[in-house]
């Protein structure tokens, strides 16, 4: 009953979305405001419809309807209710519905609020959003239907949406249970964040396409979608950081980023998105790079769809898996067609998108931004090629290959370093024109300070040259950015006569985009400390020890005290938990409890590290194996991960920065009134 | 005499082989860290994207034990890696060996990046070169900051931005 209802609603929303596409195109072509308005209402209607279908799915999940294949796959009776709800995005079929839900929500938000402001864009924005939505709904309806049920037929049990002849509904006693790896809080929030980021990038793309179709070649589409892009970027970044944290806490291999194709799939739209955020500023300020921004937003859209496909299906692991999966070729067809149409539109409008001004200097900020774009695109090339190459190799030679972490590390390290350097100097350069002298004069103090720090690190911390180069770049970037804050605040202090901190706060709040950006820059440099730390200085050891024996690593001693194993029937988990004492240079620091959780329903182990985290380093202890009680031996793997905490600190600073940059402005009108009032007040106070 | 010589030679050969074996067995058994150092560079064909040293599956455990055995037999790191490559194909290596089509892995990204850089620099020169003389005088860039302190330049720039905001 419920399954049919949910499915029926999906079909209806699919039809409504298709209608929206047709009505919008027809309306735009014939200049029929009524039809466009009808398309807009269709767009708005999809949201409550898909919500209803999603609620139905959640109802089935929460109430143990194991006759539904998806419910059977991702939930079990022992799972708490909140996990049953979040299991919605724990499997492919559900997460596609989740995608549609977000897409219709965002598209509604766009067409609901201030939609009449730039009315000529409207039909085409509806077309893009509805086509995307219809594609995902179509996948759900025809290929990855979350409402498919089990039926007992002559040959056994088969999944079908509707009853085959002579079949009865089959209900399993209990479900498979969500993959234990996905029951971690990080993994509960991580997919929605990633998807929020993915889906919100569709909006700038929709406006870009609308601008191309309508021939409005100014930067209106960019200004309209600036906040969307920033929020999309926020969610995507948030999703990536949460995913890393999850990997660090749950996957039990001592790191947070393994250059796995799935991670890279989420990282690639972030790369083009970041390049886009930077290069649109050039168009806004200088009217340059109109073509390039279009290319970037089109690429981002394609990579978003590609990423959605890759993160869930994992079919890129082999050509055969790809060919066998029903949705793989469809995804590629959709990406291919939308890409070709977008590029064709761009070529059609190419002559009209000529730059309004000329670039004046190789050292101008726009030139440095272009370099930044080059670097982001280079990292993208490395990532894309690394992900795609195993397929190409298999296709042409039949030989399977692995493109693993060493490839990416070697290829991207210099590129990331160059980005750090650019991040440091670009804010100092002026729009239009800079010279070596002006740049040099504004950066020499920071450069000297960074050099002093590097020398100090050489004597106290490390003799590794690549690491020292990394540290010096990080120090340089942070110092210069702080100096920018300082100079800005001093300038305000001089002009407005405020005290330093008021000046700093006002400076930031008046130029939120710029200073929010600087805060983000600082956060990136802080995160770079963590990334550099774990990549350059991670040490590890593994050994089997009896009770009372110890393992030594750098200046830490890990002493195995005891181990206990017990079942928690209610949760359906067996816990094996070791107690180890930690000493540094002979001083007792406390105990850690690495454990292995065995989930009965999923028949799967999870290795949860015992982690002692400080600003200096993390001591990360894994319980790898243990012998039967009689011999009292256990195998531990111990990592020392220097500086890794700075990654998480940096990500917190990052959120502050992006909130500063992306927080909605007041309406321009009220802003003016408020500004006037402030001026009056200040003059009255004087 | 001849007999004793023969016996001596025989004994020497025997002892030589014996000592040789004893020598190999005499080394301390390979530590987990030595095993992991090699396992780190390998991926088993089944567990996608999980290096062998951290893969928790039973099959990977067996592979690690195999590495341990080979180490205790005195095999070198390169020999062990080669053994797994011969047995299971290039896929077990963390990065493809640079042979045949695999060259593309290493060649293509730098080539594309280089082409991108060349295109960028050429177009930047095209954009900047001829026009600097014409527009550089009267355009926005006319404020040559070299005769003023950068601090004042900044204030000016900043005030301008503030004005724009209002």
């Amino acid at each position: 009953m419920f399954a049919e209802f949910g499915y029926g609603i999906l079909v209806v929303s699919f039809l409504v979305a298709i209608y929206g596409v047709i009505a919008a195109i027809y309306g735009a072509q014939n200049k029929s405001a009524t039809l466009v308005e009808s398309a807009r209402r269709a767009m708005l209607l999809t949201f409550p419809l898909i919500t209803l279908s999603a609620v139905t799915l959640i109802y089935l999940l929460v109430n143990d309807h194991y006759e539904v294949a998806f419910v059977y796959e991702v939930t079990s009776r022992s799972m708490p209710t909140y996990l049953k709800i979040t299991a919605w995005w724990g499997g492919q079929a559900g997460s596609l519905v989740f995608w549609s839900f977000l897409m219709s929500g965002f598209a509604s938000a766009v067409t609901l609020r201030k939609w009449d402001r730039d009315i000529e864009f409207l039909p085409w924005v509806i077309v893009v959003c509805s086509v995307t939505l219809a594609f995902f709904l179509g996948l759900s309806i025809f290929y990855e239907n979350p409402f498919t049920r089990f039926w007992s037929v002559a040959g056994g049990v088969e999944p079908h949406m509707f009853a085959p002849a002579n079949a009865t509904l089959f209900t399993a006693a209990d479900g498979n249970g969500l993959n234990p790896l996905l029951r971690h809080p990080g993994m509960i929030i991580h997919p929605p964040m990633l998807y929020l980021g993915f889906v919100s990038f569709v909006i700038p793309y929709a406006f870009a396409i609308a601008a191309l179709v309508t021939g409005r070649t100014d930067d209106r589409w960019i200004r309209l979608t600036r906040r969307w892009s920033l929020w999309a970027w926020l969610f995507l970044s948030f999703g990536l950081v949460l995913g890393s944290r999850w990997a660090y806490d749950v996957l039990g291999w001592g790191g947070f980023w393994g250059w796995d194709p799935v991670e890279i799939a989420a990282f690639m739209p972030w790369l083009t998105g970041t390049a886009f955020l930077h290069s649109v500023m050039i168009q806004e300020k200088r009217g340059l790079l109109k073509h390039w921004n279009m290319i970037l937003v089109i690429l981002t859209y394609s990579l978003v769809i590609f990423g959605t496909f890759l993160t869930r299906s994992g079919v890129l692991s082999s050509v055969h898996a790809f060919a066998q999966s029903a949705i793989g070729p469809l995804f590629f067809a959709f990406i291919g067609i939308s890409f070709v149409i977008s590029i064709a539109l761009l070529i059609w409008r190419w002559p009209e998108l000529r730059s309004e001004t000329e670039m004046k200097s190789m050292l101008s900020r726009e030139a440095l931004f272009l370099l930044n774009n080059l670097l982001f695109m280079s990292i993208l090339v490395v990532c894309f090629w690394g992900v795609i190459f195993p397929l190409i190799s298999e296709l042409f030679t039949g030989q399977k290959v692995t493109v693993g972490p060493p490839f990416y590390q070697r290829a991207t390290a210099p590129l990331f370093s160059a980005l750090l350097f650019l991040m440091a100097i670009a804010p100092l350069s002026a729009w239009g024109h800079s010279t070596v002298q002006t740049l040099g004069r504004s950066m020499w103090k920071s450069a000297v300070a960074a050099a002093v720090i590097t020398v100090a690190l050489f004597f106290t911390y490390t003799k590794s040259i690549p690491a020292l180069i990394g540290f010096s770049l990080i120090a340089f970037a942070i110092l210069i950015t702080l100096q920018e804050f300082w100079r800005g605040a001093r300038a305000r202090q001089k002009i407005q006569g405020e005290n330093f901190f008021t000046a700093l706060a006002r400076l930031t709040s008046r130029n939120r985009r710029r200073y929010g950006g600087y805060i983000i820059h600082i956060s990136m440099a802080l995160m770079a400390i963590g990334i550099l730390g774990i990549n350059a200085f991670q040490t590890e050891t593994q050994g089997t020890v009896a009770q009372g024996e110890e393992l030594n690593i750098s200046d830490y001693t890990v002493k195995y005290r005891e181990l206990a194993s017990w079942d928690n029937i209610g949760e359906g988990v067996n816990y094996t938990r070791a107690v180890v004492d930690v000493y540094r240079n002979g001083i007792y620091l406390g105990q850690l409890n690495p454990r292995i959780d065995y989930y009965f329903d999923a028949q799967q182990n999870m290795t949860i590290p015992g982690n002692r985290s400080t600003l200096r380093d993390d001591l990360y202890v894994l319980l790898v194996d243990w012998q039967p009680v009689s011999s009292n031996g256990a195998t531990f793997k111990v990592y020392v991960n220097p500086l890794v905490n700075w990654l998480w600190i940096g990500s917190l600073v990052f959120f502050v920065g992006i909130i500063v940059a992306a927080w909605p402005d007041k309406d321009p009108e009220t802003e003016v009134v408020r500004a006037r009032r402030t001026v009056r007040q200040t003059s009255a106070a004087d | 005499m001849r007999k004793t010589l023969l016996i001596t030679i025989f004994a020497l050969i025997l002892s030589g082989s014996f000592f040789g074996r004893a020598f190999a067995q005499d080394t301390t058994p390979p530590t987990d860290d030595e095993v992991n150092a090699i396992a780190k560079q390998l991926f088993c064909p089944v567990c996608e994207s999980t290096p062998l040293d951290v893969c928790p599956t039973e099959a990977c455990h067996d592979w690690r034990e195999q590495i341990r055995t080979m180490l205790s037999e005195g095999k070198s790191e390169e020999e062990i890696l080669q053994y797994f490559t011969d047995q299971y194909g290039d896929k077990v290596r963390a990065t493809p060996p640079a042979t045949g089509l695999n060259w593309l892995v290493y060649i293509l990204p730098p080539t594309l990046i280089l082409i991108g850089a060349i295109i960028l620099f050429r177009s930047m020169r095209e954009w900047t070169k001829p026009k600097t003389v014409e527009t550089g005088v009267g355009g926005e860039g006319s404020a040559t900051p070299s005769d003023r302190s950068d601090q004042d330049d900044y204030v000016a720039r900043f005030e301008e931005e503030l004005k724009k905001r209002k």
Side-chain angles (χ1 to χ4, degrees):
Chain A
M1 220 299 262
F2 283 101
E4 284 107 334
F5 177 74
Y7 182 71
I9 297 287
L10 274 189
V11 174
V12 172
S13 22
F14 176 69
L15 296 175
V16 170
I18 301 263
Y19 167 76
V21 176
I22 297 167
I25 295 179
Y26 200 74
Q29 222 105 67
N30 297 299
K31 308 236 169 347
S32 156
T34 334
L35 263 180
V36 173
E37 177 59 12
S38 168
R40 186 177 80 92
R41 296 210 169 140
M43 184 80 256
L44 289 175
L45 181 61
T46 56
F47 184 60
L49 282 176
I50 296 172
T51 310
L52 197 58
S53 181
V55 168
T56 314
L57 184 59
I58 291 173
Y59 173 85
L60 293 169
L61 285 165
V62 171
N63 291 296
D64 306 309
H65 279 266
Y66 296 122
E67 76 275 14
V68 178
F70 180 70
V71 176
Y72 170 80
E73 277 159 28
V74 296
T75 61
S76 65
R77 291 191 189 277
S78 61
M79 277 164 59
T81 307
Y82 78 94
L83 272 181
K84 286 180 180 167
I85 296 173
T86 59
W88 177 16
W89 50 78
Q92 180 160 290
S95 61
L96 287 176
V97 174
F98 186 62
W99 219 100
S100 303
F101 168 74
L102 292 178
M103 183 71 248
S104 66
F106 282 11
S108 300
V110 166
T111 47
L112 198 59
R113 198 172 158 270
K114 294 187 188 160
W115 56 274
D116 47 357
R117 204 168 34 178
D118 291 87
I119 196 86
E120 74 263 43
F121 284 153
L122 184 68
W124 301 105
V125 171
I126 294 175
V127 168
V128 172
C129 292
S130 297
V131 165
T132 313
L133 182 61
F135 170 69
F136 279 93
L137 286 172
L139 287 179
S140 294
I141 293 169
F142 299 112
Y143 298 97
E144 289 288 340
N145 178 4
F147 297 105
T148 304
R149 285 162 298 173
F150 288 122
W151 299 91
S152 298
V153 289
V157 177
E158 288 175 5
H160 292 283
M161 183 60 228
F162 297 105
N166 305 322
T168 50
L169 201 60
F170 173 82
T171 308
D174 197 355
N176 231 344
L178 191 62
N179 183 335
L181 293 174
L182 304 183
R183 298 185 195 184
H184 178 269
M187 211 45 184
I188 291 166
I189 327 168
H190 157 80
M193 281 301 148
L194 216 52
Y195 275 25
L196 277 170
F198 280 0
V199 179
S200 22
F201 266 124
V202 176
I203 306 298
Y205 168 76
F207 275 89
I209 293 298
L212 283 178
V213 175
T214 55
R216 262 193 84 166
T217 54
D218 58 359
D219 57 8
R220 186 71 187 147
W221 70 274
I222 287 176
R223 292 187 190 277
L224 282 174
T225 57
R226 192 163 71 193
R227 288 261 135 64
W228 279 103
S229 315
L230 270 177
W231 284 107
W233 196 64
L234 163 70
F235 288 128
L236 199 51
S237 313
F238 198 18
L240 285 167
V241 168
L242 277 174
S244 309
R245 182 73 220 196
W246 166 78
Y248 193 67
D249 287 346
V250 167
L251 289 188
W253 42 267
F256 51 82
W257 186 261
W259 292 104
D260 179 286
V262 173
E263 291 167 345
I264 296 171
F267 186 49
M268 286 194 292
W270 187 88
L271 289 169
T272 50
T274 314
F276 177 71
L277 282 182
H278 285 95
S279 81
V280 289
M281 283 188 240
I282 311 180
Q283 183 168 345
E284 283 179 43
K285 300 265 182 195
R286 309 272 302 141
L288 297 162
L289 295 183
K290 293 179 174 180
H291 301 122
W292 180 238
N293 287 326
M294 286 289 174
I295 293 175
L296 277 179
V297 81
I298 292 166
L299 266 180
T300 308
Y301 176 78
S302 299
L303 288 170
V304 157
I305 307 288
F306 183 64
T308 311
F309 158 63
L310 216 59
T311 42
R312 266 295 170 236
S313 61
V315 298
L316 267 202
S317 57
S318 98
V319 174
H320 306 294
F322 176 75
Q324 276 161 16
S325 89
I327 63 171
L330 280 171
F331 258 104
F332 268 59
F334 183 74
I335 294 170
I337 293 169
S338 61
F339 188 75
V340 167
I341 292 178
S342 311
I343 295 295
L345 279 172
L346 176 61
I347 293 169
W348 176 45
R349 291 291 182 191
W350 195 268
E352 290 152 62
L353 285 169
R354 221 169 295 126
S355 298
E356 289 155 24
T357 48
E358 295 294 336
M359 194 165 284
K360 293 191 186 107
S361 148
M362 296 277 242
L363 278 172
S364 60
R365 191 180 291 185
E366 52 267 36
L368 295 179
F369 270 30
L370 270 178
L371 270 183
N372 137 314
N373 270 240
L374 175 70
L375 289 169
F376 276 112
M377 296 316 282
S378 303
I379 299 172
L380 176 74
V381 164
V382 170
C383 289
F384 188 75
W385 187 235
V387 169
I388 278 297
F389 183 76
L391 275 190
I392 294 179
S393 167
E394 197 188 347
L395 208 58
F396 287 103
T397 65
Q399 173 79 283
K400 282 185 164 195
V401 294
T402 304
V403 179
F407 168 77
Y408 297 103
Q409 282 159 358
R410 253 174 271 152
T412 58
L415 298 170
F416 279 120
S417 311
L419 266 181
L420 265 177
F421 182 68
L422 266 190
M423 196 175 89
I425 63 167
L428 298 177
S429 61
W431 292 109
H433 188 79
S434 289
T435 62
V436 178
Q437 285 95 326
T438 50
L439 272 182
R441 216 173 315 132
S442 45
M443 73 171 65
W444 73 268
K445 283 181 204 153
S446 300
V448 168
V452 170
I453 291 175
T454 311
V455 170
L457 284 173
F458 176 79
F459 286 110
T460 57
Y461 196 78
T462 175
K463 301 271 186 288
S464 147
I465 301 295
L468 284 169
I469 293 174
F471 281 127
S472 63
L473 286 172
I474 291 167
F476 187 48
I478 293 180
L479 287 168
I480 280 195
T481 318
L482 289 178
Q483 189 192 333
E484 276 294 282
F485 272 101
W486 188 78
R487 291 204 314 175
R490 290 290 299 208
R492 247 197 100 91
Q493 226 180 332
K494 241 190 227 174
I495 304 161
Q496 310 276 12
E498 296 159 342
N499 79 50
F500 182 76
F501 292 101
T502 323
L504 195 62
R506 294 240 170 103
L507 173 81
T508 312
S509 64
R510 288 286 167 79
N511 303 270
R512 285 214 316 266
R513 192 176 183 201
R514 176 190 208 168
Y515 289 96
Y518 288 169
I519 296 174
I520 294 170
H521 280 183
I522 293 180
S523 79
M524 289 293 160
L526 291 176
M527 288 161 102
I529 298 178
I531 295 167
L532 180 64
I534 203 167
N535 278 308
F537 308 118
Q538 184 182 51
T539 48
E540 59 173 90
T541 189
Q542 182 180 322
T544 306
V545 285
Q547 279 189 355
E549 286 184 351
E550 53 191 42
L551 282 170
N552 291 299
I553 180 167
S554 72
D555 45 11
Y556 285 105
T557 302
V558 176
K559 196 176 202 173
Y560 172 34
R561 199 200 293 172
E562 60 190 2
L563 184 134
S565 186
W566 71 95
D567 289 345
N568 185 327
I569 301 297
E571 292 175 24
V573 186
N574 169 274
Y575 294 101
T576 305
R577 179 172 167 275
V579 180
V580 297
D581 292 318
V582 176
Y583 302 84
R584 187 162 72 211
N585 298 324
I587 298 160
Y588 180 69
L589 295 176
Q591 51 167 253
L592 288 177
N593 304 307
R595 33 173 243 270
I596 296 179
D597 302 352
Y598 178 77
Y599 285 78
F600 298 122
D601 51 6
Q603 300 181 4
Q604 201 176 336
N605 270 334
M606 244 169 100
T607 314
I608 308 290
N611 189 20
R612 183 178 183 278
S613 195
T614 62
L615 290 183
R616 180 176 172 269
D617 53 23
D618 276 21
L619 181 74
Y620 185 100
V621 183
L622 293 168
L623 175 61
V624 177
D625 202 0
W626 70 97
Q627 275 72 43
V629 190
S630 56
S631 68
N632 283 334
T635 308
F636 294 96
K637 187 160 194 179
V638 188
Y639 291 91
V640 175
N641 295 331
L643 303 174
V644 73
N645 236 333
W646 290 95
L647 177 70
W648 317 122
I649 293 171
S651 47
L652 293 180
V653 176
F654 174 84
F655 300 130
V656 175
I658 201 153
I659 298 289
V660 168
W663 198 257
D665 271 328
K666 300 266 168 18
D667 276 337
E669 296 85 44
T670 50
E671 187 78 345
V672 170
V673 174
R674 209 171 57 111
R676 280 208 201 106
R677 203 181 302 139
T678 338
V679 170
R680 225 176 294 136
Q681 277 166 357
T682 18
S683 46
D686 288 344
Chain B
M1 190 63 193
R2 244 180 96 185
K3 209 174 170 184
T4 28
L5 189 69
L6 269 178
I7 291 172
T8 324
I9 292 171
F10 188 65
L12 269 177
I13 292 169
L14 250 187
S15 63
S17 65
F18 176 76
F19 278 126
R21 294 191 68 179
F23 183 71
Q25 279 174 348
D26 209 38
T27 48
T28 47
T31 63
D32 288 350
D33 288 340
E34 284 163 354
V35 173
N36 282 339
I38 295 174
K40 216 187 231 332
Q41 304 168 50
L42 290 169
F43 283 74
C44 98
V46 186
C47 317
E48 291 295 336
S49 347
T50 315
L52 186 61
D53 64 325
V54 289
C55 189
T57 61
E58 199 59 38
C60 288
H61 177 80
D62 293 346
W63 272 41
R64 284 193 295 268
E65 285 314 306
Q66 199 173 346
I67 294 176
R68 192 188 305 277
T69 317
M70 292 174 83
L71 273 175
S72 59
E73 284 166 0
K75 294 251 167 55
S76 74
E77 181 173 319
E78 200 38 56
E79 280 172 332
I80 297 174
L81 292 176
Q82 195 54 49
Y83 167 79
F84 281 101
T85 316
D86 294 343
Q87 289 282 310
Y88 304 95
D90 286 348
K91 198 177 160 52
V92 299
R93 303 297 274 261
T95 49
T99 51
L101 186 76
N102 292 343
W103 271 106
L104 276 179
V105 178
Y106 305 100
I107 297 293
L108 193 98
T111 315
L112 281 181
I113 294 170
L114 202 67
I115 293 173
I118 291 170
I119 293 176
L120 180 65
F121 280 105
R122 289 189 66 155
S123 32
M124 280 218 282
R125 271 184 46 192
E126 210 173 281
W127 291 332
T128 51
K129 235 180 188 170
K131 305 292 192 299
T132 2
V133 192
E134 298 159 29
T135 53
V137 188
E140 278 175 77
S142 61
T144 33
S146 49
D147 52 342
R148 289 184 281 155
S149 85
D150 57 340
Q151 185 72 31
D152 290 343
D153 175 39
Y154 182 83
V155 174
R157 195 146 60 82
F158 181 62
E159 281 181 314
E160 211 177 280
E161 290 225 339
L162 271 183
K163 252 182 248 155
K164 263 188 247 160
R165 293 279 307 174
K166 281 176 188 171

